[in-house]
Amino acid sequence: MLSSYLTGFGTWLAYPGCLCICLAALLRAAPSLRSADQRGLWLAVATAGVAMVLDLPVVTGTARDLTGTGHAVDLVRNLTGVVSAGAVLFFVSAPVGSRRLRAGLFGATGTVMVVLTVLDLTAPAHPAHSVVAAGGPAPSFAYWLTLIGTHMVANTVCLIVCCWYGLRTDDRLLATALWLFAAGTAFAGLFWTGRLLRLVLYVEWVWPYLPLMINLHAVLRATAILVPTFVALARAVTDARTVWRLWPLWHALVGAVPHVVLTGRRTRLLELLWPPIPRRLLAYRKLIEIRDAMLELDHYVPSGLTPLARDHVRRHGLTPAQADAAVLACVMKEARRAKLAGVPRCAMEAESFPRGAAPLLLTRQDHPTTLTAEKTHLMDLARAYTSPPARSFTPTPTAHAAATARGD
């Protein structure tokens, strides 16, 4: 029961596996080709994808219908697989950085391709390449032994190197990519080991599982090279969520001090879908503009307003962190109101709120010192800005007098 399920799943996985590895190669083509350290890895995955596409039933069937034989497709597929094996060795040799070693790999890969081509062309007529062809392997035993041996050597070396560096690197993303690539390489090794067992020992039971091995190899290697893409996508989603949550606070504050906005103001959705600056900088820009707006509005905060805000927030039973954010939200709302009302800077000191303490924004002992802390701080402020305590804050001189009498 399990064996039939695994066999069926391996066969079904052929098309999704090809799609995964081809999409991964396309998505990572530009950044990989720009980096000398990643070219070998990308070439290994791309050529493996081409080889797998040439092994799809629809491709081989079409070739036979058009030419009457699948021989040419089989030869090109196997030669492409050799290029992939050579690229794997080129990738794992990158840390060594030896030009002589790389030149040797190029030469060895080219030699194997020439040998396979000669063995194919000099073999008796054969319609296709197969280990289980009637009358023995086609084109020949030597052909398959050379091809399988090449792949097994490349996969063994790659597996050892990936595991070696995966255990020793402190970079979690690099370690994840190495282990995924090592797992894909291990499945590829099992695939070629199964072919070797069938070629040399005529082992039959392993044959139905080979499609599963090679297709899992495709999915895992595709995932390995997409690790940077997944990380970038996760960061983009996080930044978009940050911008979306900061928007009400940003919109309210920059509405009072629009000169802090460095680009044209847009709607909330349009800002996310079509940002006026590189997307990776959008959340950072919003943080900077909110902070600049707060610094400007701080000049419109009367010194007696903070005790009133604290007294108002205290009645809502918030946690200390929530209370701090709510107090600042109340102060910023009142400063925004004053700015929009046209009150001159610092003129509010002479009005209903006598000067008692320095403005809240400039005296916070827990002022954020890192970008992450700044983002967390402003996200808390954005939540507090639309909360009931901030919406219901209406300072009056009577309230201030009461707060002063209690020693706030």
PDB file of all heavy atoms in Angstrom, residues 235-244 246 250 271-272 275 277-291 371 374-375 378-379:
ATOM      1  N   ARG A 235      10.339  39.961   4.341  1.00  0.00           N
ATOM      2  CA  ARG A 235      10.654  41.319   4.780  1.00  0.00           C
ATOM      3  C   ARG A 235       9.704  42.332   4.135  1.00  0.00           C
ATOM      4  O   ARG A 235       9.271  43.284   4.786  1.00  0.00           O
ATOM      5  CB  ARG A 235      12.102  41.646   4.419  1.00  0.00           C
ATOM      6  CG  ARG A 235      12.572  42.997   4.944  1.00  0.00           C
ATOM      7  CD  ARG A 235      14.013  43.263   4.591  1.00  0.00           C
ATOM      8  NE  ARG A 235      14.902  42.313   5.236  1.00  0.00           N
ATOM      9  CZ  ARG A 235      15.656  41.429   4.594  1.00  0.00           C
ATOM     10  NH1 ARG A 235      15.626  41.382   3.275  1.00  0.00           N
ATOM     11  NH2 ARG A 235      16.442  40.599   5.252  1.00  0.00           N
ATOM     12  N   ALA A 236       9.374  42.106   2.861  1.00  0.00           N
ATOM     13  CA  ALA A 236       8.453  43.016   2.183  1.00  0.00           C
ATOM     14  C   ALA A 236       7.067  42.966   2.812  1.00  0.00           C
ATOM     15  O   ALA A 236       6.410  44.005   2.981  1.00  0.00           O
ATOM     16  CB  ALA A 236       8.373  42.662   0.702  1.00  0.00           C
ATOM     17  N   VAL A 237       6.606  41.762   3.176  1.00  0.00           N
ATOM     18  CA  VAL A 237       5.296  41.628   3.823  1.00  0.00           C
ATOM     19  C   VAL A 237       5.306  42.318   5.183  1.00  0.00           C
ATOM     20  O   VAL A 237       4.352  43.015   5.560  1.00  0.00           O
ATOM     21  CB  VAL A 237       4.929  40.140   3.964  1.00  0.00           C
ATOM     22  CG1 VAL A 237       3.686  39.966   4.829  1.00  0.00           C
ATOM     23  CG2 VAL A 237       4.689  39.522   2.589  1.00  0.00           C
ATOM     24  N   THR A 238       6.404  42.133   5.936  1.00  0.00           N
ATOM     25  CA  THR A 238       6.514  42.781   7.241  1.00  0.00           C
ATOM     26  C   THR A 238       6.516  44.295   7.111  1.00  0.00           C
ATOM     27  O   THR A 238       5.840  45.005   7.869  1.00  0.00           O
ATOM     28  CB  THR A 238       7.798  42.320   7.946  1.00  0.00           C
ATOM     29  OG1 THR A 238       7.761  40.898   8.122  1.00  0.00           O
ATOM     30  CG2 THR A 238       7.938  42.981   9.308  1.00  0.00           C
ATOM     31  N   ASP A 239       7.268  44.808   6.129  1.00  0.00           N
ATOM     32  CA  ASP A 239       7.309  46.258   5.919  1.00  0.00           C
ATOM     33  C   ASP A 239       5.942  46.793   5.494  1.00  0.00           C
ATOM     34  O   ASP A 239       5.527  47.879   5.928  1.00  0.00           O
ATOM     35  CB  ASP A 239       8.350  46.609   4.863  1.00  0.00           C
ATOM     36  CG  ASP A 239       9.768  46.426   5.365  1.00  0.00           C
ATOM     37  OD1 ASP A 239       9.948  46.309   6.599  1.00  0.00           O
ATOM     38  OD2 ASP A 239      10.694  46.388   4.544  1.00  0.00           O
ATOM     39  N   ALA A 240       5.248  46.038   4.638  1.00  0.00           N
ATOM     40  CA  ALA A 240       3.921  46.473   4.205  1.00  0.00           C
ATOM     41  C   ALA A 240       2.949  46.508   5.389  1.00  0.00           C
ATOM     42  O   ALA A 240       2.139  47.442   5.507  1.00  0.00           O
ATOM     43  CB  ALA A 240       3.401  45.535   3.118  1.00  0.00           C
ATOM     44  N   ARG A 241       3.037  45.508   6.253  1.00  0.00           N
ATOM     45  CA  ARG A 241       2.176  45.502   7.438  1.00  0.00           C
ATOM     46  C   ARG A 241       2.512  46.675   8.357  1.00  0.00           C
ATOM     47  O   ARG A 241       1.621  47.306   8.936  1.00  0.00           O
ATOM     48  CB  ARG A 241       2.333  44.178   8.180  1.00  0.00           C
ATOM     49  CG  ARG A 241       1.387  44.031   9.362  1.00  0.00           C
ATOM     50  CD  ARG A 241       1.354  42.621   9.909  1.00  0.00           C
ATOM     51  NE  ARG A 241       2.662  42.203  10.379  1.00  0.00           N
ATOM     52  CZ  ARG A 241       3.394  41.251   9.820  1.00  0.00           C
ATOM     53  NH1 ARG A 241       2.940  40.623   8.747  1.00  0.00           N
ATOM     54  NH2 ARG A 241       4.563  40.909  10.319  1.00  0.00           N
ATOM     55  N   THR A 242       3.810  46.982   8.479  1.00  0.00           N
ATOM     56  CA  THR A 242       4.227  48.116   9.303  1.00  0.00           C
ATOM     57  C   THR A 242       3.671  49.424   8.752  1.00  0.00           C
ATOM     58  O   THR A 242       3.127  50.255   9.498  1.00  0.00           O
ATOM     59  CB  THR A 242       5.759  48.189   9.370  1.00  0.00           C
ATOM     60  OG1 THR A 242       6.268  46.990   9.972  1.00  0.00           O
ATOM     61  CG2 THR A 242       6.216  49.397  10.170  1.00  0.00           C
ATOM     62  N   VAL A 243       3.811  49.620   7.434  1.00  0.00           N
ATOM     63  CA  VAL A 243       3.311  50.855   6.811  1.00  0.00           C
ATOM     64  C   VAL A 243       1.798  50.959   6.978  1.00  0.00           C
ATOM     65  O   VAL A 243       1.267  52.043   7.268  1.00  0.00           O
ATOM     66  CB  VAL A 243       3.699  50.889   5.320  1.00  0.00           C
ATOM     67  CG1 VAL A 243       3.025  52.056   4.611  1.00  0.00           C
ATOM     68  CG2 VAL A 243       5.215  50.988   5.174  1.00  0.00           C
ATOM     69  N   TRP A 244       1.100  49.843   6.795  1.00  0.00           N
ATOM     70  CA  TRP A 244      -0.359  49.852   6.910  1.00  0.00           C
ATOM     71  C   TRP A 244      -0.793  50.252   8.320  1.00  0.00           C
ATOM     72  O   TRP A 244      -1.741  51.043   8.493  1.00  0.00           O
ATOM     73  CB  TRP A 244      -0.907  48.476   6.553  1.00  0.00           C
ATOM     74  CG  TRP A 244      -2.407  48.415   6.526  1.00  0.00           C
ATOM     75  CD1 TRP A 244      -3.238  48.036   7.537  1.00  0.00           C
ATOM     76  CD2 TRP A 244      -3.253  48.753   5.421  1.00  0.00           C
ATOM     77  NE1 TRP A 244      -4.546  48.104   7.148  1.00  0.00           N
ATOM     78  CE2 TRP A 244      -4.589  48.543   5.849  1.00  0.00           C
ATOM     79  CE3 TRP A 244      -3.010  49.200   4.132  1.00  0.00           C
ATOM     80  CZ2 TRP A 244      -5.669  48.778   5.026  1.00  0.00           C
ATOM     81  CZ3 TRP A 244      -4.096  49.436   3.303  1.00  0.00           C
ATOM     82  CH2 TRP A 244      -5.408  49.223   3.741  1.00  0.00           C
ATOM     83  N   LEU A 246       1.023  51.934  10.561  1.00  0.00           N
ATOM     84  CA  LEU A 246       1.484  53.276  10.902  1.00  0.00           C
ATOM     85  C   LEU A 246       0.701  54.361  10.173  1.00  0.00           C
ATOM     86  O   LEU A 246       0.785  55.536  10.547  1.00  0.00           O
ATOM     87  CB  LEU A 246       2.969  53.432  10.561  1.00  0.00           C
ATOM     88  CG  LEU A 246       3.976  52.699  11.444  1.00  0.00           C
ATOM     89  CD1 LEU A 246       5.376  52.875  10.891  1.00  0.00           C
ATOM     90  CD2 LEU A 246       3.907  53.199  12.886  1.00  0.00           C
ATOM     91  N   TRP A 250       0.703  58.369  10.853  1.00  0.00           N
ATOM     92  CA  TRP A 250       1.468  59.160   9.892  1.00  0.00           C
ATOM     93  C   TRP A 250       0.570  60.200   9.210  1.00  0.00           C
ATOM     94  O   TRP A 250       0.943  61.376   9.093  1.00  0.00           O
ATOM     95  CB  TRP A 250       2.081  58.222   8.849  1.00  0.00           C
ATOM     96  CG  TRP A 250       2.796  58.913   7.734  1.00  0.00           C
ATOM     97  CD1 TRP A 250       4.096  59.329   7.718  1.00  0.00           C
ATOM     98  CD2 TRP A 250       2.244  59.281   6.455  1.00  0.00           C
ATOM     99  NE1 TRP A 250       4.398  59.933   6.522  1.00  0.00           N
ATOM    100  CE2 TRP A 250       3.281  59.922   5.725  1.00  0.00           C
ATOM    101  CE3 TRP A 250       0.999  59.135   5.864  1.00  0.00           C
ATOM    102  CZ2 TRP A 250       3.088  60.403   4.432  1.00  0.00           C
ATOM    103  CZ3 TRP A 250       0.798  59.627   4.586  1.00  0.00           C
ATOM    104  CH2 TRP A 250       1.837  60.251   3.881  1.00  0.00           C
ATOM    105  N   GLU A 271      -0.072  53.752  -1.846  1.00  0.00           N
ATOM    106  CA  GLU A 271       1.273  53.844  -1.275  1.00  0.00           C
ATOM    107  C   GLU A 271       1.925  52.467  -1.185  1.00  0.00           C
ATOM    108  O   GLU A 271       3.128  52.323  -1.385  1.00  0.00           O
ATOM    109  CB  GLU A 271       1.207  54.475   0.110  1.00  0.00           C
ATOM    110  CG  GLU A 271       2.547  54.823   0.710  1.00  0.00           C
ATOM    111  CD  GLU A 271       3.069  56.168   0.231  1.00  0.00           C
ATOM    112  OE1 GLU A 271       2.408  56.807  -0.604  1.00  0.00           O
ATOM    113  OE2 GLU A 271       4.137  56.581   0.697  1.00  0.00           O
ATOM    114  N   LEU A 272       1.112  51.451  -0.896  1.00  0.00           N
ATOM    115  CA  LEU A 272       1.646  50.090  -0.789  1.00  0.00           C
ATOM    116  C   LEU A 272       1.810  49.436  -2.152  1.00  0.00           C
ATOM    117  O   LEU A 272       2.796  48.739  -2.401  1.00  0.00           O
ATOM    118  CB  LEU A 272       0.731  49.236   0.083  1.00  0.00           C
ATOM    119  CG  LEU A 272       0.720  49.567   1.578  1.00  0.00           C
ATOM    120  CD1 LEU A 272      -0.291  48.697   2.298  1.00  0.00           C
ATOM    121  CD2 LEU A 272       2.103  49.370   2.186  1.00  0.00           C
ATOM    122  N   PRO A 275       4.602  52.386  -4.498  1.00  0.00           N
ATOM    123  CA  PRO A 275       5.314  53.353  -3.653  1.00  0.00           C
ATOM    124  C   PRO A 275       6.172  54.299  -4.489  1.00  0.00           C
ATOM    125  O   PRO A 275       6.712  53.898  -5.525  1.00  0.00           O
ATOM    126  CB  PRO A 275       6.179  52.472  -2.750  1.00  0.00           C
ATOM    127  CG  PRO A 275       6.364  51.203  -3.516  1.00  0.00           C
ATOM    128  CD  PRO A 275       5.096  51.010  -4.294  1.00  0.00           C
ATOM    129  N   ILE A 277       9.008  55.465  -3.723  1.00  0.00           N
ATOM    130  CA  ILE A 277      10.415  55.190  -3.458  1.00  0.00           C
ATOM    131  C   ILE A 277      10.612  53.683  -3.493  1.00  0.00           C
ATOM    132  O   ILE A 277       9.634  52.930  -3.534  1.00  0.00           O
ATOM    133  CB  ILE A 277      10.835  55.750  -2.078  1.00  0.00           C
ATOM    134  CG1 ILE A 277       9.981  55.111  -0.969  1.00  0.00           C
ATOM    135  CG2 ILE A 277      10.748  57.259  -2.053  1.00  0.00           C
ATOM    136  CD1 ILE A 277      10.410  55.518   0.417  1.00  0.00           C
ATOM    137  N   PRO A 278      11.853  53.179  -3.512  1.00  0.00           N
ATOM    138  CA  PRO A 278      12.056  51.728  -3.461  1.00  0.00           C
ATOM    139  C   PRO A 278      11.290  51.103  -2.296  1.00  0.00           C
ATOM    140  O   PRO A 278      11.302  51.620  -1.176  1.00  0.00           O
ATOM    141  CB  PRO A 278      13.576  51.596  -3.274  1.00  0.00           C
ATOM    142  CG  PRO A 278      14.130  52.812  -3.942  1.00  0.00           C
ATOM    143  CD  PRO A 278      13.127  53.909  -3.664  1.00  0.00           C
ATOM    144  N   ARG A 279      10.628  50.008  -2.573  1.00  0.00           N
ATOM    145  CA  ARG A 279       9.739  49.396  -1.585  1.00  0.00           C
ATOM    146  C   ARG A 279      10.449  49.067  -0.278  1.00  0.00           C
ATOM    147  O   ARG A 279       9.880  49.158   0.804  1.00  0.00           O
ATOM    148  CB  ARG A 279       9.119  48.136  -2.189  1.00  0.00           C
ATOM    149  CG  ARG A 279       7.964  47.565  -1.382  1.00  0.00           C
ATOM    150  CD  ARG A 279       7.358  46.377  -2.104  1.00  0.00           C
ATOM    151  NE  ARG A 279       6.845  46.759  -3.405  1.00  0.00           N
ATOM    152  CZ  ARG A 279       5.640  47.294  -3.595  1.00  0.00           C
ATOM    153  NH1 ARG A 279       4.834  47.503  -2.569  1.00  0.00           N
ATOM    154  NH2 ARG A 279       5.234  47.614  -4.813  1.00  0.00           N
ATOM    155  N   ARG A 280      11.724  48.672  -0.379  1.00  0.00           N
ATOM    156  CA  ARG A 280      12.456  48.275   0.829  1.00  0.00           C
ATOM    157  C   ARG A 280      12.683  49.459   1.776  1.00  0.00           C
ATOM    158  O   ARG A 280      13.021  49.269   2.954  1.00  0.00           O
ATOM    159  CB  ARG A 280      13.793  47.647   0.450  1.00  0.00           C
ATOM    160  CG  ARG A 280      14.784  48.610  -0.187  1.00  0.00           C
ATOM    161  CD  ARG A 280      16.070  47.935  -0.587  1.00  0.00           C
ATOM    162  NE  ARG A 280      17.053  48.859  -1.101  1.00  0.00           N
ATOM    163  CZ  ARG A 280      17.086  49.328  -2.331  1.00  0.00           C
ATOM    164  NH1 ARG A 280      16.177  48.914  -3.200  1.00  0.00           N
ATOM    165  NH2 ARG A 280      18.026  50.173  -2.721  1.00  0.00           N
ATOM    166  N   LEU A 281      12.537  50.695   1.251  1.00  0.00           N
ATOM    167  CA  LEU A 281      12.761  51.886   2.064  1.00  0.00           C
ATOM    168  C   LEU A 281      11.465  52.528   2.549  1.00  0.00           C
ATOM    169  O   LEU A 281      11.508  53.513   3.288  1.00  0.00           O
ATOM    170  CB  LEU A 281      13.555  52.928   1.264  1.00  0.00           C
ATOM    171  CG  LEU A 281      14.938  52.499   0.773  1.00  0.00           C
ATOM    172  CD1 LEU A 281      15.550  53.611  -0.066  1.00  0.00           C
ATOM    173  CD2 LEU A 281      15.844  52.145   1.940  1.00  0.00           C
ATOM    174  N   LEU A 282      10.326  51.980   2.149  1.00  0.00           N
ATOM    175  CA  LEU A 282       9.052  52.636   2.432  1.00  0.00           C
ATOM    176  C   LEU A 282       8.777  52.710   3.931  1.00  0.00           C
ATOM    177  O   LEU A 282       8.430  53.775   4.457  1.00  0.00           O
ATOM    178  CB  LEU A 282       7.921  51.900   1.717  1.00  0.00           C
ATOM    179  CG  LEU A 282       6.530  52.536   1.811  1.00  0.00           C
ATOM    180  CD1 LEU A 282       6.560  53.943   1.237  1.00  0.00           C
ATOM    181  CD2 LEU A 282       5.501  51.687   1.074  1.00  0.00           C
ATOM    182  N   ALA A 283       8.919  51.596   4.637  1.00  0.00           N
ATOM    183  CA  ALA A 283       8.647  51.591   6.079  1.00  0.00           C
ATOM    184  C   ALA A 283       9.633  52.498   6.806  1.00  0.00           C
ATOM    185  O   ALA A 283       9.245  53.251   7.714  1.00  0.00           O
ATOM    186  CB  ALA A 283       8.733  50.164   6.621  1.00  0.00           C
ATOM    187  N   TYR A 284      10.889  52.455   6.409  1.00  0.00           N
ATOM    188  CA  TYR A 284      11.900  53.309   7.033  1.00  0.00           C
ATOM    189  C   TYR A 284      11.566  54.786   6.825  1.00  0.00           C
ATOM    190  O   TYR A 284      11.682  55.597   7.756  1.00  0.00           O
ATOM    191  CB  TYR A 284      13.268  52.980   6.448  1.00  0.00           C
ATOM    192  CG  TYR A 284      14.390  53.849   6.958  1.00  0.00           C
ATOM    193  CD1 TYR A 284      14.888  53.688   8.248  1.00  0.00           C
ATOM    194  CD2 TYR A 284      14.943  54.839   6.145  1.00  0.00           C
ATOM    195  CE1 TYR A 284      15.910  54.490   8.723  1.00  0.00           C
ATOM    196  CE2 TYR A 284      15.964  55.640   6.615  1.00  0.00           C
ATOM    197  CZ  TYR A 284      16.449  55.461   7.892  1.00  0.00           C
ATOM    198  OH  TYR A 284      17.463  56.259   8.360  1.00  0.00           O
ATOM    199  N   ARG A 285      11.134  55.141   5.636  1.00  0.00           N
ATOM    200  CA  ARG A 285      10.769  56.529   5.351  1.00  0.00           C
ATOM    201  C   ARG A 285       9.588  56.965   6.217  1.00  0.00           C
ATOM    202  O   ARG A 285       9.573  58.097   6.728  1.00  0.00           O
ATOM    203  CB  ARG A 285      10.434  56.674   3.865  1.00  0.00           C
ATOM    204  CG  ARG A 285       9.972  58.059   3.452  1.00  0.00           C
ATOM    205  CD  ARG A 285      11.068  59.093   3.575  1.00  0.00           C
ATOM    206  NE  ARG A 285      12.153  58.813   2.659  1.00  0.00           N
ATOM    207  CZ  ARG A 285      12.151  59.163   1.370  1.00  0.00           C
ATOM    208  NH1 ARG A 285      11.121  59.805   0.852  1.00  0.00           N
ATOM    209  NH2 ARG A 285      13.196  58.883   0.615  1.00  0.00           N
ATOM    210  N   LYS A 286       8.609  56.100   6.390  1.00  0.00           N
ATOM    211  CA  LYS A 286       7.464  56.453   7.222  1.00  0.00           C
ATOM    212  C   LYS A 286       7.886  56.679   8.669  1.00  0.00           C
ATOM    213  O   LYS A 286       7.397  57.605   9.343  1.00  0.00           O
ATOM    214  CB  LYS A 286       6.400  55.345   7.150  1.00  0.00           C
ATOM    215  CG  LYS A 286       5.655  55.313   5.821  1.00  0.00           C
ATOM    216  CD  LYS A 286       4.760  56.519   5.685  1.00  0.00           C
ATOM    217  CE  LYS A 286       4.016  56.519   4.367  1.00  0.00           C
ATOM    218  NZ  LYS A 286       4.858  56.904   3.230  1.00  0.00           N
ATOM    219  N   LEU A 287       8.785  55.865   9.173  1.00  0.00           N
ATOM    220  CA  LEU A 287       9.280  56.046  10.539  1.00  0.00           C
ATOM    221  C   LEU A 287       9.975  57.392  10.681  1.00  0.00           C
ATOM    222  O   LEU A 287       9.765  58.121  11.672  1.00  0.00           O
ATOM    223  CB  LEU A 287      10.245  54.916  10.906  1.00  0.00           C
ATOM    224  CG  LEU A 287       9.668  53.500  10.983  1.00  0.00           C
ATOM    225  CD1 LEU A 287      10.777  52.491  11.225  1.00  0.00           C
ATOM    226  CD2 LEU A 287       8.619  53.394  12.086  1.00  0.00           C
ATOM    227  N   ILE A 288      10.805  57.733   9.711  1.00  0.00           N
ATOM    228  CA  ILE A 288      11.536  58.999   9.763  1.00  0.00           C
ATOM    229  C   ILE A 288      10.572  60.184   9.703  1.00  0.00           C
ATOM    230  O   ILE A 288      10.711  61.164  10.462  1.00  0.00           O
ATOM    231  CB  ILE A 288      12.552  59.080   8.607  1.00  0.00           C
ATOM    232  CG1 ILE A 288      13.620  57.993   8.768  1.00  0.00           C
ATOM    233  CG2 ILE A 288      13.184  60.458   8.541  1.00  0.00           C
ATOM    234  CD1 ILE A 288      14.425  58.107  10.025  1.00  0.00           C
ATOM    235  N   GLU A 289       9.583  60.104   8.830  1.00  0.00           N
ATOM    236  CA  GLU A 289       8.644  61.224   8.685  1.00  0.00           C
ATOM    237  C   GLU A 289       7.777  61.387   9.931  1.00  0.00           C
ATOM    238  O   GLU A 289       7.460  62.517  10.339  1.00  0.00           O
ATOM    239  CB  GLU A 289       7.791  61.013   7.443  1.00  0.00           C
ATOM    240  CG  GLU A 289       8.584  61.174   6.142  1.00  0.00           C
ATOM    241  CD  GLU A 289       7.811  60.784   4.908  1.00  0.00           C
ATOM    242  OE1 GLU A 289       6.713  60.205   5.043  1.00  0.00           O
ATOM    243  OE2 GLU A 289       8.309  61.046   3.798  1.00  0.00           O
ATOM    244  N   ILE A 290       7.389  60.269  10.557  1.00  0.00           N
ATOM    245  CA  ILE A 290       6.615  60.368  11.801  1.00  0.00           C
ATOM    246  C   ILE A 290       7.470  61.010  12.888  1.00  0.00           C
ATOM    247  O   ILE A 290       7.009  61.893  13.621  1.00  0.00           O
ATOM    248  CB  ILE A 290       6.119  58.980  12.240  1.00  0.00           C
ATOM    249  CG1 ILE A 290       5.030  58.476  11.285  1.00  0.00           C
ATOM    250  CG2 ILE A 290       5.574  59.022  13.666  1.00  0.00           C
ATOM    251  CD1 ILE A 290       4.598  57.055  11.554  1.00  0.00           C
ATOM    252  N   ARG A 291       8.705  60.573  12.996  1.00  0.00           N
ATOM    253  CA  ARG A 291       9.587  61.137  14.012  1.00  0.00           C
ATOM    254  C   ARG A 291       9.835  62.627  13.762  1.00  0.00           C
ATOM    255  O   ARG A 291       9.828  63.433  14.704  1.00  0.00           O
ATOM    256  CB  ARG A 291      10.902  60.352  14.024  1.00  0.00           C
ATOM    257  CG  ARG A 291      11.971  60.918  14.950  1.00  0.00           C
ATOM    258  CD  ARG A 291      11.498  61.053  16.372  1.00  0.00           C
ATOM    259  NE  ARG A 291      11.203  59.781  16.995  1.00  0.00           N
ATOM    260  CZ  ARG A 291      10.764  59.649  18.247  1.00  0.00           C
ATOM    261  NH1 ARG A 291      10.574  60.740  18.979  1.00  0.00           N
ATOM    262  NH2 ARG A 291      10.508  58.467  18.744  1.00  0.00           N
ATOM    263  N   LEU A 371      16.783  50.988  15.155  1.00  0.00           N
ATOM    264  CA  LEU A 371      15.661  51.062  14.224  1.00  0.00           C
ATOM    265  C   LEU A 371      14.530  50.140  14.663  1.00  0.00           C
ATOM    266  O   LEU A 371      13.356  50.489  14.576  1.00  0.00           O
ATOM    267  CB  LEU A 371      16.139  50.701  12.816  1.00  0.00           C
ATOM    268  CG  LEU A 371      15.068  50.739  11.726  1.00  0.00           C
ATOM    269  CD1 LEU A 371      14.468  52.135  11.619  1.00  0.00           C
ATOM    270  CD2 LEU A 371      15.660  50.302  10.395  1.00  0.00           C
ATOM    271  N   GLU A 374      12.795  51.705  17.540  1.00  0.00           N
ATOM    272  CA  GLU A 374      12.017  52.853  17.052  1.00  0.00           C
ATOM    273  C   GLU A 374      10.719  52.388  16.394  1.00  0.00           C
ATOM    274  O   GLU A 374       9.647  52.972  16.621  1.00  0.00           O
ATOM    275  CB  GLU A 374      12.857  53.649  16.050  1.00  0.00           C
ATOM    276  CG  GLU A 374      12.153  54.849  15.471  1.00  0.00           C
ATOM    277  CD  GLU A 374      12.166  56.044  16.400  1.00  0.00           C
ATOM    278  OE1 GLU A 374      12.722  55.930  17.508  1.00  0.00           O
ATOM    279  OE2 GLU A 374      11.608  57.081  16.019  1.00  0.00           O
ATOM    280  N   LYS A 375      10.813  51.329  15.603  1.00  0.00           N
ATOM    281  CA  LYS A 375       9.610  50.816  14.950  1.00  0.00           C
ATOM    282  C   LYS A 375       8.613  50.305  15.984  1.00  0.00           C
ATOM    283  O   LYS A 375       7.406  50.585  15.887  1.00  0.00           O
ATOM    284  CB  LYS A 375       9.987  49.699  13.968  1.00  0.00           C
ATOM    285  CG  LYS A 375       8.785  49.157  13.212  1.00  0.00           C
ATOM    286  CD  LYS A 375       9.210  48.187  12.131  1.00  0.00           C
ATOM    287  CE  LYS A 375       9.643  46.865  12.698  1.00  0.00           C
ATOM    288  NZ  LYS A 375       9.854  45.849  11.637  1.00  0.00           N
ATOM    289  N   LEU A 378       6.963  53.315  17.754  1.00  0.00           N
ATOM    290  CA  LEU A 378       5.974  54.033  16.950  1.00  0.00           C
ATOM    291  C   LEU A 378       4.762  53.168  16.613  1.00  0.00           C
ATOM    292  O   LEU A 378       3.653  53.686  16.435  1.00  0.00           O
ATOM    293  CB  LEU A 378       6.626  54.565  15.679  1.00  0.00           C
ATOM    294  CG  LEU A 378       7.691  55.653  15.907  1.00  0.00           C
ATOM    295  CD1 LEU A 378       8.223  56.166  14.587  1.00  0.00           C
ATOM    296  CD2 LEU A 378       7.128  56.795  16.745  1.00  0.00           C
ATOM    297  N   MET A 379       4.949  51.857  16.515  1.00  0.00           N
ATOM    298  CA  MET A 379       3.793  50.969  16.319  1.00  0.00           C
ATOM    299  C   MET A 379       2.885  51.022  17.554  1.00  0.00           C
ATOM    300  O   MET A 379       1.652  51.048  17.441  1.00  0.00           O
ATOM    301  CB  MET A 379       4.274  49.548  16.059  1.00  0.00           C
ATOM    302  CG  MET A 379       4.976  49.351  14.729  1.00  0.00           C
ATOM    303  SD  MET A 379       3.849  49.222  13.325  1.00  0.00           S
ATOM    304  CE  MET A 379       3.336  47.517  13.503  1.00  0.00           C
TER     305      MET A 379
END
